[in-house]
Amino acid sequence: MKFYVCIKQVPDVNAPLQIKEGELIQDANRNILNAYDASAVEEALVLKEAHGGEIEVVLIGPDKASETIRKALAMGADSGSHILTEGSEEFDSFSYAKILAEFFKDKEYQYIFCGKQSQDTDSGLTGSMLAEFLDLPYATNAVGLQLEGENLIVKRQGDTGQEMIELPAPSLVTCSNDMNDPRIPSLKGIMQSKRKPVNTIAVSDLKNGLTNGSIKTSVVGYEEKPKREPGKKYEGEPDEIAKEVAQLLDSAENVI
Amino acid sequence: MSNLLTYISVNDGKIKRSSLEVLSRCNEIAEKNGKTSSAIVISDDCSTIVENLKSYGPSVIYTIEDPIFKNHLNTPLLKALTLAMSEINPDVMAFASTEGSKDILGALAANRNAAALADVSEFDWTGDAVTAKRPVMASKIISSVETKGSPVILTVRSGSYDTVEKSGESKVQSIPFTFDKNELKLTLKEIISATGDKVDLSEAETVIAAGRGVKDEEGRKLIDELAAVLNAGIGASRALTESGDYDPSLQIGQTGKVVSPQLYIAVGISGAIQHVAGMANSKVIVAINKDPDAPIFEIADYGLVGDLYKILPPFIDELKKIKG
Ligand SMILES: Cc1cc2nc3c(=O)[nH]c(=O)nc-3n(C[C@H](O)[C@H](O)[C@H](O)COP(=O)(O)OP(=O)(O)OC[C@H]3O[C@@H](n4cnc5c(N)ncnc54)[C@H](O)[C@@H]3O)c2cc1C
Ligand SMILES: Nc1ncnc2c1ncn2[C@@H]1O[C@H](COP(=O)(O)O)[C@@H](O)[C@H]1O
C-alpha cells in the first residue's frame, strides 16, 4: 500500500505580522507544517502501523521548505519529494494542483492525502482540484478514516452531520485537523529523518503541468481587518452584572 | 451573453438564506453592469424551491432534478454542475459557502479550467476580472484578490450581503440529466445526522457558543436554557466538539463554521484566533469568562468577568423577564 501525503509549508498564523504598503511582512523563521497536513501525515502513519505500507510526502516550495519535509519524515513518513520553486512565484491552488498532477501522472499509489485547507489562506481547493486532474474519486473534510481491505471508509464532516463514504483505491482524501492529534517527533525520529531519502525535482521539470494561464487568481494587496470598538468589561457581583448586561442587550442593542 | 449564475443551496427542502444573499448580490451586480443574473436548483424535488425563488427575480431559474440529489454526494453534483456550466456558459458562478459547495468547488474549477475563489466576504464584477476580499491568516487580515480569465467560480461567506427581493418574471428551464449508479465511483454508506430540526447555526440570528469552561451536564443545561430563551442556535469551541460533548457540526471557527449573527454569546471560551476566525463578524459579542485576561474580552462588546455557573442563572432569569 502506497500513501502519498501532499504537505505545505505555511506561515504560523500565531506569529506577529505586519502590512507595509499593502504587502504582508512575516517572519520566515516562523513557517510551519500546515496543521491540516500534519493531521494527514498522522492519519497515514496510523494506517501504515495497522496495515503496513509506505508513506511518501510531497511538497512544492522553496529550498527553505525542506525543513517541513524533515518534520514529516521525523514524524515517521518514509521518504519525500521536494518540488523546488524559486520562491518568488505566486502560485495559487490551481497552479499547485496542476504541478502536483504532473508529478503524480506516472506514479503508482493507492491513496493521496491532502490537508483540507491551507492554514494561512483557508482556500481548501487544491485537494479536489488534484483529484479532478487525476480523475480520482475523492472525499473532502475527512474527520475519520478506516481501511477495509483496499477500500477506505471515510467519515466526512458535512453541513449538518457526518457522512460515511466508501472510496475504492486509487483515490484522494482531504483531512481535517479534527481527525487526530498529530504526534510530536521523537528524538529518535528526528535522527532517523536525516537518513531518509528526499528526491528533489525542479518545478521547471514539471512545467508541462504549468501551462500558460495556470495561475488564475492573484493577491493584489492586504489590509488590516477593521478593528472593533473596544467594549466594556463588567466585574463584580454575578447577579448584578448579569442583570445589567441583559438589560443593555435589550435597551441599547435591541438584539434580544 | 455575459452572465452570473447562483447555485441555490437547499437544506431539508428549504432554500438556505446564504444562497439568497449571494443571489441578491449577483442581481445587484447584474443590474449595475447590464448583465443577467440567473439561478440553478439541483435537487431531488425542485418545484417548491423554484416557486419560492421567484420572489428573488432571477432571469432564468434552471433546474436539474434527479433522485440522486436527495443526499449530498460529490460525483453526481459535480456532473450536474459541469453540465450546467457548459450549457449555460456563465462568466461568474457563485455559491454560498457551505460544506457542500466547498466539497466540489476545486474539482469544478479544475474541470471547467476556471479561476476559483473560496469563502469571499465581498466580490464585484464589471465584465472583466472578478475582484474580491478574503479573510486570511485565521481572519486576522483581509486580502484583495483578482481573477484572470473566464469563467470564475466563487463561494461567499454567509452574512456578507443582505437578501433583497426583486420583482420580474423568471423563466424556468429544466436541464435534462441522467445519472447511472455505475458512475458513482464512491458509496455513501451512512449519514450520521445530528442537528435535526434545531436552529441552523450558520444562519441563526443569535448564537450561544459553549467552550471548555462549560464542564458538565449542569453547564450544558444552562446553555440549552439560554438558547431556548433567545431562540438561538448552539455552537461550540473545538475543545467541546473534540471531547464529544457537542456534535462536530457545531464547531465554530477556522476548521468549523463561520457565523455572523446579530448576537453572539461566548460562554467559557478563551478566544483563540482559530475560534475568533469563525465569529468575529458577529454584530454584538458578549463573553462570559472567569479569566479577566482571556483574549475573548479584546473583541467582546460586553465582557462579563466571572464564573459562568454563577452568571448564567441570573442572566437567563433577567432575559426571561425582558422577553415577558
Ligand atoms: C489549525 C487549527 C484550527 C482550529 N480550528 C478551530 C475551530 O474551528 N474552532 C475552535 O473553537 N477552535 C479551533 N482550534 C483550536 C483553538 O486553537 C483552541 O484550542 C480552542 O478554540 C479552545 O477552546 P476553548 O476556548 O473552549 O478552550 P480553552 O482555551 O481551554 O478556554 C476555556 C476558557 O474557559 C474559561 N473558564 C473555565 N471555567 C470557567 C467558568 N467556570 N466560568 C467562566 N469561564 C470559565 C477559562 O478562563 C478559559 O478562558 C483550531 C486550532 C488549530 C491549530
Ligand atoms: N505547495 C504545496 N505543496 C504540497 N501540497 C500542497 C501545496 N499547496 C497546497 N497543497 C495541498 O493542498 C492543501 C491545501 O489546499 P489549499 O487550501 O487550496 O491551499 C494542503 O493541505 C496540501 O495538502
Side-chain angles (χ1 to χ4, degrees), chain B residues 7 41 64 122 124 132 144 146 169 186 255 260 264-265 279 313:
Chain B
Y7 170 83
V41 181
I64 295 181
E122 267 177 51
D124 205 352
S144 300
E146 220 174 78
E169 276 293 287
L186 45 81
T255 296
S260 49
Y264 182 92
I265 306 182
M279 48 64 78

Side-chain angles (χ1 to χ4, degrees), chain B:
Chain B
M1 194 205 303
S2 301
N3 61 38
L4 302 110
L5 181 64
T6 302
Y7 170 83
I8 303 300
S9 307
V10 179
N11 185 16
D12 264 349
K14 271 181 39 206
I15 300 177
K16 271 180 102 83
R17 190 187 70 209
S18 47
S19 55
L20 294 174
E21 294 167 4
V22 179
L23 176 59
S24 300
R25 174 60 180 163
C26 285
N27 285 347
E28 184 185 23
I29 293 174
E31 185 131 355
K32 201 170 62 174
N33 298 308
K35 319 281 187 203
T36 60
S37 169
S38 297
I40 180 159
V41 181
I42 299 176
S43 171
D44 57 333
D45 180 5
C46 297
S47 55
T48 35
I49 302 164
V50 168
E51 279 319 304
N52 294 335
L53 200 52
K54 283 184 176 162
S55 41
Y56 290 85
S59 307
V60 186
I61 300 171
Y62 296 96
T63 61
I64 295 181
E65 193 169 280
D66 192 284
I68 192 84
F69 299 118
K70 191 165 174 8
N71 295 309
H72 172 84
L73 274 169
N74 59 26
T75 327
L77 184 57
L78 199 56
K79 187 182 178 196
L81 283 163
T82 311
L83 172 72
M85 283 188 74
S86 64
E87 303 231 325
I88 303 165
N89 230 344
D91 298 284
V92 178
M93 166 97 224
F95 296 78
S97 190
T98 63
E99 289 306 339
S101 63
K102 283 185 202 169
D103 189 29
I104 49 82
L105 178 65
L108 183 63
N111 185 291
R112 305 315 300 160
N113 197 28
L117 293 174
D119 238 9
V120 306
S121 54
E122 267 177 51
F123 71 104
D124 205 352
W125 178 61
T126 53
D128 300 325
V130 169
T131 52
K133 303 228 158 158
R134 302 190 63 242
V136 294
M137 302 300 290
S139 290
K140 281 205 285 196
I141 55 178
I142 311 284
S143 70
S144 300
V145 287
E146 220 174 78
T147 61
K148 289 186 198 71
S150 164
V152 176
I153 309 178
L154 51 87
T155 63
V156 185
R157 290 190 160 209
S158 78
S160 301
Y161 293 99
D162 292 331
T163 56
V164 183
E165 298 202 359
K166 178 174 170 275
S167 56
E169 276 293 287
S170 296
K171 217 173 88 189
V172 180
Q173 189 179 324
S174 131
I175 300 175
F177 176 84
T178 53
F179 193 83
D180 181 347
K181 285 255 158 70
N182 293 326
E183 297 173 71
L184 252 188
K185 300 201 262 185
L186 45 81
T187 331
L188 179 64
K189 310 263 288 185
E190 191 188 343
I191 296 177
I192 313 161
S193 184
T195 39
D197 54 1
K198 287 196 209 132
V199 184
D200 184 344
L201 187 59
S202 54
E203 312 202 333
E205 293 280 309
T206 305
V207 170
I208 315 297
R212 205 190 305 273
V214 177
K215 282 183 200 62
D216 48 19
E217 187 59 42
E218 185 195 342
R220 291 191 290 277
K221 250 182 74 191
L222 288 169
I223 296 291
D224 287 346
E225 269 182 59
L226 179 57
V229 188
L230 296 174
N231 190 24
I234 294 178
S237 73
R238 179 148 182 255
L240 292 195
T241 53
E242 206 177 17
S243 68
D245 288 331
Y246 284 86
D247 186 77
S249 337
L250 303 183
Q251 182 173 175
I252 293 171
Q254 189 178 14
T255 296
K257 288 194 163 98
V258 175
V259 298
S260 49
Q262 295 295 304
L263 173 62
Y264 182 92
I265 306 182
V267 185
I269 288 181
S270 62
I273 57 167
Q274 294 92 352
H275 181 79
V276 170
M279 48 64 78
N281 279 339
S282 307
K283 186 168 163 266
V284 176
I285 297 173
V286 176
I288 302 173
N289 196 304
K290 67 178 181 190
D291 172 9
D293 297 322
I296 191 79
F297 287 131
E298 287 161 32
I299 59 156
D301 302 293
Y302 297 88
L304 290 147
V305 183
D307 185 348
L308 68 93
Y309 289 89
K310 296 212 176 85
I311 292 177
L312 281 183
F315 189 60
I316 292 166
D317 281 348
E318 189 62 23
L319 290 170
K320 276 188 187 152
K321 259 191 233 157
I322 296 169
K323 296 282 249 185

Side-chain angles (χ1 to χ4, degrees), chain A residues 13 140 159 162 166 234 253, chain B residues 103 140 187 192 257 302-303:
Chain A
V13 294
T140 62
D159 282 298
Q162 288 93 46
E166 182 167 350
Y234 296 80
E253 304 286 354
Chain B
D103 189 29
K140 281 205 285 196
T187 331
I192 313 161
K257 288 194 163 98
Y302 297 88

